Amino acid sequence: MHMSHRSIRARTFFLVLVPLLSLIGLYAFATTITASETITLARASTVRDSLADPIGFYATALQGERMLGTAYLAAPTPAALGALSKQEATSDAALALLRRTANSARTQSDSSPAVKAALAATFRAASGLPTIRGAIISTATTRAAVQSAYSTMIAKGYQTIVAAILQMPTAHLVTQSLAVMRIAQAEDALLQSEALLVGDVMARQFPAAAHAVFAHLVGQYRGMLAEALPGLDPAYQVSFHRAVSPRALASLGRIEDAVINSPAGRVPRVRLTSYDQASRAVAGGLAKAGFQAGRTLANAMQAAAEPIDLRLELAGGFGLAAILVSVIVSIWIGRGLVRQLAELRQGALELAHQ
């Protein structure tokens, strides 16, 4: 009789336990997915926010150093050397800030393997700075080699930001952030073309190869802008249209077209002051709008995290409450079933004896 009673209790216990375990499993699955999304977005936002500005400062410093290094090779004067040395100090400070940020415990813990690999590539490229600087000062290199070396370093830094963006789990934020990065890359292509043209005009040399590279860079940055701007949300488009002067953009386009359409191998008749003014105005506007868009995207990331956090709280709180209620009700129902079945068994035994 005792064994039979235990059998009824055990079978009833397992009958109640199976749906409870299923409910607990579903609760754990839903909570894990929501928590994983929250953690991924938080880490991606941290990495992007911590690295974007230091890499931006570093890239801007290298762009200035690229321009001044090219100008020094075209006209190696003491004044040009002094300006270059001052800019090198600015670049070194920006690189030191980037290293501190990259090596911080928070960045290291939140960075994906792709971001860490991109950072390592950025610092490997930066290790070539002393070599290229020495070659510039000794005039033992060419303007094309200088421009290529600095452009590679800048591109490596931008690739790190792209890797950080790709960590984000929200597709819309990824596409908007990549479009903003595309515009930053277009700005760098514009500044590359400026360094090339200014250096060659100062040196009174503009070979056919330089002419072709200049045309390629102009086409590249125009194509990047034409591709990236339409993909931005209207709020970001307005920022870029406001920051970039249409007058400066039109003036720059006329000068660039005149250079591209000039005979290959001949130094174009360009007023460097007008060209530099228009180029800097457009590049500065793109940089300003990109910085503003980056701040807005950072706020959008925080806003996107709020619904996820709310879902996690609801899933965790209500799910746990539902499980507790289910456990209590299941125990109450199970005990009632055991008692009723025991009474039924006892009644059947008494009936059989009588």
Side-chain angles (χ1 to χ4, degrees), residues 86-102:
K86 184 177 180 180
Q87 186 61 34
E88 288 175 355
T90 301
S91 299
D92 289 340
L95 179 59
L97 172 62
L98 177 57
R99 285 189 188 278
R100 289 195 301 271
T101 304

Side-chain angles (χ1 to χ4, degrees), residues 48-49 173 292-306:
R48 187 261 170 211
D49 293 345
L173 290 177
Q292 293 173 345
R295 292 300 184 192
T296 305
L297 283 168
N299 294 332
M301 291 178 197
Q302 295 178 355
E306 292 177 359

Side-chain angles (χ1 to χ4, degrees), residues 54-107:
I55 290 177
F57 297 148
Y58 172 64
T60 300
L62 289 184
Q63 287 164 349
E65 191 172 332
R66 177 179 58 195
M67 182 70 221
L68 293 172
T70 301
Y72 178 78
L73 287 175
T77 63
L81 180 60
L84 177 59
S85 299
K86 184 177 180 180
Q87 186 61 34
E88 288 175 355
T90 301
S91 299
D92 289 340
L95 179 59
L97 172 62
L98 177 57
R99 285 189 188 278
R100 289 195 301 271
T101 304
N103 293 329
S104 67
R106 189 171 186 181
T107 301

Side-chain angles (χ1 to χ4, degrees), residues 215-237:
H216 171 74
L217 289 171
V218 171
Q220 184 181 37
Y221 95 75
R222 290 179 179 178
M224 287 179 175
L225 291 178
E227 174 190 354
L229 282 173
L232 287 172
D233 288 344
Y236 302 124
Q237 290 185 15

Side-chain angles (χ1 to χ4, degrees), residues 294-344:
R295 292 300 184 192
T296 305
L297 283 168
N299 294 332
M301 291 178 197
Q302 295 178 355
E306 292 177 359
I308 299 176
D309 292 337
L310 179 60
R311 290 203 305 270
L312 179 60
E313 293 172 0
L314 291 176
F318 286 110
L320 184 59
I323 288 176
L324 291 175
V325 170
S326 300
V327 169
I328 294 171
V329 172
S330 298
I331 292 174
W332 178 68
I333 292 175
R335 292 180 64 182
L337 287 174
V338 170
R339 184 171 58 254
Q340 292 176 7
L341 288 173
E343 292 174 354
L344 179 61

